[in-house]
Each structure stands twice: as C-alpha cells, then as structure tokens.
Amino acid sequence: MKFGTKAIHAGVEPDPTTGAIMTPIYQTSTYVQTTPGGHKGYEYSRTHNPTRTALQNNLAALENGKHGLCFSSGLGAIDAIIKLLNPGDEVISTNDLYGGSYRIFTKVFERYGIKFHFVSMDNPENIAAHINANTKLIWAETPTNPMMNIIDIQAVGDLAKKHGILFGVDNTFATPFLQNPLDMGADLVMHSVTKYLGGHSDVVMGAIVVNDDKLAEQLAFIQNACGATPGPQDCFLVLRGIKTLHIRMERHCQNGKTIAAYLKNHPKVEKVYWPGFEDHPNHHIAKKQMRDFGGMISFTLIGNKIEDAITILENLHYFALAESLGGVESLCGHPASMTHASIPKEEREKVGLVDSLIRLSVGIEDVDDLKKDIAAALELI
C-alpha cells in the first residue's frame, strides 16, 4: 500500500460482529474469561484493548515498522524509552529539543544516575566525540523544536550501529508522511500523537514504533507495568484523524512554504527558520530524507525585543496563542516562556532560542487569510 491507502486501511478491519467500517470504541476495563487464563487475547485494558491494538498496528504500518505501542502522552512514550536504561548509562541528546524532553531528562532521570550530554547534531562528528563505554542511547529530533535544525538520520544511524548504541528519533514535526527514520537506521521512532497524527487538538497521546522483537517486548512490559496507556476513546479519535493525515500534511506543507517566504521578505523579521530554504543549514539533508519541509516555522524580529514578540502574539487571530502544534488550525507560541521555559535561558540562547523567537504551527486554513493575519500583527511593532 502507498501512504494514503495505509493511513486509511492499515491495521483496521471492519468489526467482525456487526460489519461496522469504523473500529469500535471498546469502552471496557476488563474481559470475561471462560476459564482462568482462557480469554480471546484481551484480559485487562491497561495491557491490551482492541481499539488501541488497531491504532498501534496502523502507526507501525505508517512508519514501516513491525511493532507500535501507544502511551498516554508523548512524554509517557519518552519515559518508557529512558526506562530501558540503567543507572550509570549515558545518553547523547540533541542540544535543541522540546523543553519537556529536556525537563524529564534533567529533572527526573538524572536523579536516578543516568547522564545526559546535550550536543549539536548538525555534524555527526559532534556525537562521536561524546561516545564512551557507558553510552546506551542517542536521542534526536529532526526537524528540531523550535530551531528547525536538520539531523542526518542515516549518518547518525550508521554511527549508532557501529558502536552498538540504541538510536531514537522524535519524528513529531515531520510525521511518517514526510520521513521514516526506521528506514534510515533508527531503532525507535517516537511521536507526540497529540500533534499532527491526531491533527485536531482534541487528544493527548504518545507512540513508539520499532522493528526489533526484543525491544518491542521490553517496551510492552514497561507500557503495561508502568501503566501510561491511552483510553479507547482517544485511540478512536486518533484513528479517525490519521485517515486524513496525508491530505492535511500536503496542505500544511503548501501553507508553510508560503508563510515562510512571506516572513523571510518582511522588513521587521530578522531570521526565519524553515528547512525548505536553500540557505538553511543542512537543507541538502532535509531534501534527501524528507518528502517535503513541513508546516513548522520559527522566526525572530529585528531588535530582538520580547515586548515586540508579545505584541505580535497577542494580536494574531487565526494563529491562536496556545501550547502544542500540528492541528488543522494555526497556532503560535513563544518558546522562551511557554514550551521551552524549563530550559535555562543561557542554554536556550546557545542554540539561538532568543526572547523574540516566535514559533508558528501553520494550519490548513486559506493561506491568504493567514498572511493578512501576520501582516496586521507585524504592523503593530
């Protein structure tokens, strides 16, 4: 199946009882057994639920993977991945990443003896310099959040394989429509399903897709033992959202390209971060590993005044000021005080995350309305 067909059909079958074409919401906590241990594959919904099973199979297919596992949030999925490690193990992470990932790494898992190195991954040689006998995981986002840096998945995958290190990729910004990290050497792919996969800002969920059977077994144990699993209603909503992922992403990409070009030529904008520009660092890598460049954009303002950024954010209308991204509606945010506030200011600024940086999640509205919205807000500074 090609992607659009997978999005609609993979892992999903008509209900055998009624013929319902949509996967039912199995709103049940437990399942009747004919004898102790004698059940139909389901015994308790924290462990397995038919609605969740359909979604997990669908996500695995979209990422060209073998096993999918869903969690109650993206951070719940990351939590499960780090729980594969032991005290004394070390992780090499990109230095430009979602603030929640930084927070769980430094404020939760460092307390249990796991060490994290935050390095620029624009060049894989920066990673190699930090590898030692204790390195057990390389963690990357590409494009990164919020600076839109591009990491060469194939090159990092080759490096990880050479040293016998697990390699995980947060694929939230790209989605499986734009890139498939497992095909390029990643061992784990993680999604904040809350974002583009759900696509309608009505679900919080995370997911992991892997190929390795043993790794899947370990993660499934953690999923069940620690209990960060989503309910069937949320799984149903994501299954519904995924059916339009391919057409939504096409529009996100089209609108993103138009808005990025508009901002780049605006006299009050200092810099635009979007991997589709030929002068974007590692644009050639993005062109190689992505099918298009996405609808996420960050930009800074001339003068780098936080008050100017706030004025713009307070006066956008179609771009709603809110946490999150990837919905059909456009969203705007101020990473320094919102999504990345948990990262110390000096660390943020090292990667270019300055106070005037604004992050846009370009939705699928009419792009002319979005341009007018931005133009009117910029006029106020």
Side-chain angles (χ1 to χ4, degrees), residues 27-100:
Q27 195 70 51
T28 183
S29 61
T30 193
Y31 307 81
V32 173
Q33 302 186 21
T34 55
T35 188
H39 53 77
K40 299 178 181 180
Y42 297 92
E43 50 189 331
Y44 190 61
S45 277
R46 185 189 68 246
T47 311
H48 298 103
N49 177 282
T51 315
R52 193 170 90 220
T53 297
L55 175 59
Q56 290 178 156
N57 291 340
N58 180 259
L59 290 170
L62 293 182
E63 280 290 10
N64 298 330
K66 190 174 179 182
H67 306 280
L69 302 101
C70 288
F71 296 82
S72 53
S73 68
L75 282 170
I78 293 174
D79 177 79
I81 291 169
I82 305 302
K83 283 174 178 171
L84 295 167
L85 308 180
N86 296 302
D89 289 346
E90 298 187 13
V91 178
I92 301 173
S93 169
T94 181
N95 64 347
D96 171 31
L97 78 167
Y98 168 53

Side-chain angles (χ1 to χ4, degrees), residues 23-319:
T23 303
I25 303 168
Y26 286 90
Q27 195 70 51
T28 183
S29 61
T30 193
Y31 307 81
V32 173
Q33 302 186 21
T34 55
T35 188
H39 53 77
K40 299 178 181 180
Y42 297 92
E43 50 189 331
Y44 190 61
S45 277
R46 185 189 68 246
T47 311
H48 298 103
N49 177 282
T51 315
R52 193 170 90 220
T53 297
L55 175 59
Q56 290 178 156
N57 291 340
N58 180 259
L59 290 170
L62 293 182
E63 280 290 10
N64 298 330
K66 190 174 179 182
H67 306 280
L69 302 101
C70 288
F71 296 82
S72 53
S73 68
L75 282 170
I78 293 174
D79 177 79
I81 291 169
I82 305 302
K83 283 174 178 171
L84 295 167
L85 308 180
N86 296 302
D89 289 346
E90 298 187 13
V91 178
I92 301 173
S93 169
T94 181
N95 64 347
D96 171 31
L97 78 167
Y98 168 53
S101 302
Y102 181 90
R103 182 178 58 228
I104 197 172
F105 291 167
T106 60
K107 301 298 184 183
V108 177
F109 283 105
E110 280 191 348
R111 293 167 48 216
Y112 297 101
I114 297 173
K115 186 175 181 180
F116 294 85
H117 303 274
F118 298 95
V119 305
S120 171
M121 292 189 178
D122 292 357
N123 186 337
E125 291 180 6
N126 297 335
I127 303 171
H130 289 81
I131 292 175
N132 60 50
N134 295 323
T135 307
K136 296 297 188 291
L137 173 68
I138 297 172
W139 184 254
E141 294 177 6
T142 184
T144 61
N145 181 4
M147 302 308 299
M148 310 302 159
N149 289 312
I150 298 297
I151 295 166
D152 189 332
I153 297 172
Q154 187 71 59
V156 179
D158 291 344
L159 181 66
K161 187 175 181 180
K162 176 183 175 182
H163 292 275
I165 301 168
L166 276 177
F167 176 34
V169 175
D170 182 338
N171 202 29
T172 299
F173 272 25
T175 80
F177 179 76
L178 297 183
Q179 69 185 15
N180 299 110
L182 293 179
D183 292 346
M184 294 178 272
D187 299 297
L188 310 107
V189 176
M190 194 284 296
H191 287 276
S192 176
V193 176
T194 310
K195 313 305 194 295
Y196 285 108
L197 294 176
H200 293 78
S201 300
D202 54 9
V203 173
V204 174
M205 191 186 297
I208 303 169
V209 179
V210 302
N211 275 320
D212 184 80
D213 294 344
K214 183 178 179 181
L215 187 57
E217 185 179 343
Q218 291 173 314
L219 287 166
F221 173 82
I222 294 168
Q223 180 193 45
N224 182 51
C226 297
T229 52
Q233 174 75 28
D234 285 350
C235 293
F236 171 84
L237 288 171
V238 174
L239 277 168
R240 184 182 66 173
I242 283 175
K243 291 183 187 298
T244 59
L245 177 62
H246 52 304
I247 55 175
R248 286 189 287 108
M249 288 306 298
E250 288 173 357
R251 185 63 172 265
H252 283 300
C253 291
Q254 291 169 7
N255 284 0
K257 181 178 181 179
T258 301
I259 296 299
Y262 174 76
L263 288 168
K264 191 172 187 180
N265 293 314
H266 198 285
K268 294 182 181 180
V269 173
E270 181 179 47
K271 190 166 185 179
V272 181
Y273 300 90
W274 181 68
F277 292 137
E278 290 188 4
D279 61 355
H280 182 93
N282 276 358
H283 168 75
H284 64 292
I285 300 297
K287 194 172 181 180
K288 177 186 74 171
Q289 68 189 22
M290 299 175 72
R291 299 176 184 97
D292 207 330
F293 303 108
M296 295 300 301
I297 301 166
S298 292
F299 67 98
T300 56
L301 302 168
I302 297 291
N304 187 33
K305 294 179 181 178
I306 190 170
E307 54 267 32
D308 287 344
I310 291 172
T311 295
I312 291 170
L313 291 163
E314 289 179 345
N315 287 281
L316 288 166
H317 299 288
Y318 297 128
F319 285 88

